[in-house]
């Protein structure tokens, strides 16, 4: 059953140097607070996995946490580039960053394969793109029944997946709703998982369209109100659009970025 922990203890216990780490969330329920705690604890040499790496991965990359990125799109949504990501790729600052790029469908199917205990996923995607020429983890496969040429991608099994959700009960059962992306699949595919939530309650009241992760499928839960800011948690907060615009200038300059991280992340206290 899932343990109820503080955010700092959860990251200390579950996220280690050199791990493959997925922090998932699609516009909604992005686990920013957990990402900041990873930066505070000085994790290094991480392989960061995410379907849509945006500002939190820009911060992790710029803080020197990442060695490799496995992804399907990267940018500051509605604004432009991720400048710390770009600086790492173009100038190896603060260190070189290896890239493994996929399509959204490829990443989603890789998580599903991992959650299903399968070694790889099969899909029709990537046809007509040059991604197979640049990514060794994209292969063609012949269907044994029809002879069709399809694409195979290996299962994703992160060492640890981190997601944010609205609620959990005291037994560690997690409830989320709204745009849920691949959070469920990413948690089920991982060897370990940390879920931050807006609140811990005695009982989970049903919500239309909910996804419930049972406590036996989750390693640890931490109560972190506002843990998805500047993204949002439906029913609890709204997206801080102004911050995403501000980040373009913050992330563009190395010194400005380092000053922001020192002031807003390194000196901040983790939520209990």
């Amino acid at each position: 059953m899932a343990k109820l922990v503080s955010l700092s203890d959860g990251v200390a216990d579950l996220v280690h140097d050199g791990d493959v780490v997925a922090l998932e969330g699609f516009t909604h329920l992005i686990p920013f607070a957990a990402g900041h705690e990873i930066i505070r604890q000085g994790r290094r040499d991480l392989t960061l996995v995410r379907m849509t790496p945006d500002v939190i991965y820009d911060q992790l990359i710029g803080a020197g946490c990442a060695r490799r990125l496995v992804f399907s799109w990267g940018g500051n949504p509605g604004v432009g580039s991720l400048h710390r990501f770009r600086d790492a790729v173009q100038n190896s600052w603060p260190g070189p960053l290896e890239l493994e790029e996929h399509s959204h469908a490829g990443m989603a199917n890789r998580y599903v394969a991992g959650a299903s205990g399968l070694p790889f996923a099969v899909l029709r995607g990537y046809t007509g793109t040059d991604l197979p020429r640049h990514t060794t983890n994209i292969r063609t496969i012949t269907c044994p029944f029809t002879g069709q040429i399809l694409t195979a991608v290996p299962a994703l099994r992160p060492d640890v997946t981190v997601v944010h959700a609205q609620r959990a009960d005291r037994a560690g059962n997690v409830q989320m709703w709204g745009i849920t992306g691949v959070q469920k699949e990413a948690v089920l595919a991982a060897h370990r998982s940390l879920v931050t939530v807006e609140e811990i309650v005695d009982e989970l009241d049903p919500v239309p369209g909910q996804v419930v992760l049972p406590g036996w499928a989750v390693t640890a839960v931490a109560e972190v109100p506002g843990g998805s800011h500047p993204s949002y948690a439906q029913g609890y907060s709204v997206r801080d659009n102004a911050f995403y615009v501000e980040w373009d200038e913050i992330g563009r300059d190395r010194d400005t970025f380092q000053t922001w991280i020192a002031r807003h992340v390194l000196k901040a206290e983790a939520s209990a």
Side-chain angles (χ1 to χ4, degrees), residues 5 18-19 52-53 63 70 75 117 128 139 152 163 167 171 181 198 206 220 233-235 257 262 268 270 272:
V5 300
D19 275 353
T52 54
V70 180
R139 308 285 180 87
V163 299
R167 292 197 290 243
E198 292 291 322
Q234 184 170 322
F257 165 78

Coordinates of all heavy atoms in Angstrom, one line a residue, residues 5 18-19 52-53 63 70 75 117 128 139 152 163 167 171 181 198 206 220 233-235 257 262 268 270 272:
V5 N 3.7 10.4 2.9 CA 5.0 11.0 3.2 C 5.1 12.5 3.0 O 4.1 13.1 2.4 CB 6.1 10.3 2.3 CG1 6.2 8.8 2.6 CG2 5.9 10.6 0.9
G18 N 21.1 9.2 -11.4 CA 21.1 8.3 -12.5 C 19.8 7.6 -12.9 O 19.8 6.8 -13.8
D19 N 18.8 7.9 -12.1 CA 17.5 7.3 -12.4 C 16.9 7.8 -13.7 O 17.1 8.9 -14.2 CB 16.5 7.6 -11.3 CG 16.6 6.6 -10.1 OD1 17.3 5.6 -10.2 OD2 15.9 6.9 -9.1
T52 N 5.6 15.8 -23.2 CA 5.6 17.2 -23.5 C 6.4 18.0 -22.5 O 5.9 18.8 -21.7 CB 4.2 17.8 -23.6 OG1 3.5 17.6 -22.4 CG2 3.4 17.2 -24.7
P53 N 7.7 17.9 -22.6 CA 8.6 18.6 -21.6 C 8.4 20.1 -21.8 O 8.5 20.6 -23.0 CB 10.0 18.2 -21.9 CG 9.9 17.6 -23.3 CD 8.6 17.0 -23.4
A63 N 19.1 23.5 -14.2 CA 19.7 23.3 -12.9 C 20.8 22.2 -12.8 O 21.3 21.9 -11.8 CB 18.6 23.0 -11.9
V70 N 14.1 12.0 -23.0 CA 13.3 11.1 -23.9 C 12.0 11.8 -24.0 O 11.3 11.9 -23.0 CB 13.2 9.7 -23.3 CG1 12.4 8.8 -24.2 CG2 14.6 9.1 -23.1
G75 N 8.7 22.6 -25.5 CA 8.5 24.0 -25.7 C 7.7 24.7 -24.6 O 7.2 24.0 -23.7
G117 N 3.3 -4.8 -19.0 CA 4.3 -5.8 -18.9 C 4.7 -6.4 -20.2 O 5.3 -7.5 -20.2
G128 N 6.7 8.3 -42.8 CA 6.9 9.5 -43.5 C 7.7 10.6 -42.8 O 7.9 11.7 -43.3
R139 N 11.9 0.9 -34.6 CA 12.2 -0.1 -35.6 C 11.0 -0.5 -36.4 O 9.8 -0.4 -35.9 CB 12.7 -1.4 -34.8 CG 13.9 -1.1 -33.9 CD 15.2 -0.8 -34.5 NE 16.2 -0.6 -33.6 CZ 17.0 -1.6 -33.0 NH1 16.7 -2.8 -33.3 NH2 17.9 -1.2 -32.1
A152 N 7.7 -0.6 -34.3 CA 7.8 -1.1 -32.9 C 8.7 -0.1 -32.1 O 9.7 0.4 -32.6 CB 8.4 -2.5 -32.9
V163 N 3.7 12.2 -10.5 CA 2.5 12.9 -11.0 C 1.8 13.7 -9.9 O 2.1 13.5 -8.7 CB 1.5 11.9 -11.7 CG1 2.1 11.2 -12.8 CG2 0.9 11.0 -10.6
R167 N -6.8 14.5 -5.3 CA -7.0 13.9 -4.0 C -6.5 12.5 -3.8 O -6.3 11.8 -4.8 CB -8.6 13.9 -3.7 CG -9.2 15.2 -3.6 CD -10.6 15.1 -3.0 NE -11.6 14.5 -3.8 CZ -12.7 15.0 -4.3 NH1 -12.9 16.3 -4.0 NH2 -13.6 14.4 -5.0
A171 N -5.6 5.7 2.7 CA -5.0 4.4 2.3 C -4.2 4.5 1.1 O -3.6 3.6 0.6 CB -6.2 3.4 2.0
G181 N -4.1 13.0 -19.4 CA -3.0 12.6 -20.2 C -2.6 11.1 -20.0 O -3.5 10.2 -20.0
E198 N -3.5 17.6 -4.0 CA -3.9 18.9 -3.4 C -4.4 18.7 -2.0 O -4.2 19.5 -1.1 CB -5.1 19.4 -4.2 CG -4.7 19.9 -5.6 CD -3.9 21.2 -5.6 OE1 -4.1 22.0 -4.7 OE2 -2.9 21.3 -6.4
P206 N -17.0 10.3 -5.6 CA -16.9 10.1 -7.1 C -17.1 11.4 -7.8 O -17.8 12.3 -7.5 CB -18.1 9.2 -7.4 CG -18.4 8.5 -6.1 CD -18.1 9.5 -5.0
A220 N 4.2 6.0 -3.0 CA 4.1 7.1 -1.9 C 3.2 8.2 -2.4 O 3.1 8.5 -3.6 CB 5.4 7.6 -1.5
A233 N -4.8 22.6 -11.3 CA -5.5 21.4 -10.9 C -7.0 21.6 -11.0 O -7.5 22.5 -10.2 CB -5.1 21.0 -9.5
Q234 N -7.7 21.0 -11.9 CA -9.1 21.3 -12.1 C -9.9 21.1 -10.8 O -9.7 20.1 -10.1 CB -9.7 20.3 -13.1 CG -11.2 20.6 -13.5 CD -11.7 19.9 -14.7 OE1 -10.9 19.7 -15.6 NE2 -12.9 19.4 -14.6
G235 N -10.7 22.1 -10.5 CA -11.5 22.1 -9.2 C -10.7 22.8 -8.1 O -11.3 23.0 -7.0
F257 N 18.3 33.2 -15.0 CA 17.7 31.9 -14.6 C 18.3 31.4 -13.3 O 17.6 31.0 -12.4 CB 18.1 30.9 -15.7 CG 17.9 29.4 -15.3 CD1 16.7 28.9 -15.2 CD2 19.0 28.7 -14.9 CE1 16.5 27.6 -14.7 CE2 18.9 27.4 -14.5 CZ 17.6 26.8 -14.4
A262 N 17.7 30.2 -7.5 CA 18.2 30.4 -6.2 C 17.2 31.0 -5.3 O 17.0 30.7 -4.1 CB 19.5 31.3 -6.2
A268 N 13.4 28.0 -1.2 CA 12.1 27.7 -0.8 C 12.0 26.4 0.0 O 12.9 25.5 -0.1 CB 11.2 27.5 -2.0
A270 N 10.3 22.9 1.1 CA 9.4 21.9 0.6 C 8.1 21.8 1.4 O 8.2 21.9 2.6 CB 10.1 20.5 0.5
A272 N 5.1 20.0 3.5 CA 5.1 18.8 4.3 C 4.2 17.8 3.7 O 3.3 18.1 2.9 CB 4.6 19.2 5.7

